[in-house]
Amino acid sequence: MRGNRIDDQEIGMLCLHLIKLSLVYINTLMIQQVLAEPSWSGRLNTDDQRGITPMIHSHINPYGSFRLDLNIRLPLDPPRFGRQSVGAQLLLGYDQLTG
């Protein structure tokens, strides 16, 4: 951040919050996908389940090279909250538009 302008500092902090929330969302989807596999059904006890957190960040490399391919999607299933959540509707709508 350059300077001491409060507005610039606030925007910088809001951007960091957005990045953190995005990381937690993706980590949550990945953890749900792994825990849905049958091989994990009986392996975790109560203490293990309490220790699971989506705030992990050791798999993030902020200083390396990033391969970004906007033509493919992450292999994550949309979350299932009730009949069909707004997020799932958006994802399904996007998939229908992109073919």
Side-chain angles (χ1 to χ4, degrees):
M1 283 180 247
R2 291 188 247 174
N4 290 329
R5 293 183 52 195
I6 298 293
D7 293 342
D8 291 341
Q9 292 176 0
E10 184 178 2
I11 298 255
M13 289 306 299
L14 290 173
C15 290
L16 289 173
H17 284 296
L18 180 61
I19 290 170
K20 182 172 76 171
L21 290 173
S22 300
L23 175 67
V24 167
Y25 179 68
I26 295 295
N27 285 346
T28 301
L29 291 178
M30 289 192 302
I31 290 170
Q32 286 176 348
Q33 192 172 18
V34 167
L35 293 179
E37 294 178 9
S39 61
W40 283 95
S41 62
R43 294 179 72 180
L44 300 176
N45 61 26
T46 340
D47 292 334
D48 294 332
Q49 290 174 357
R50 270 197 310 252
I52 297 174
T53 176
M55 289 296 296
I56 54 176
H57 56 83
S58 60
H59 60 291
I60 304 297
N61 180 5
Y63 306 110
S65 60
F66 298 93
R67 293 185 328 218
L68 180 62
D69 188 357
L70 295 177
N71 295 320
I72 60 171
R73 294 178 58 91
L74 288 175
L76 298 172
D77 295 332
R80 291 170 183 83
F81 303 111
R83 289 173 29 117
Q84 192 176 62
S85 68
V86 174
Q89 290 174 6
L90 291 173
L91 285 173
L92 293 173
Y94 175 80
D95 287 341
Q96 291 170 358
L97 288 175
T98 57

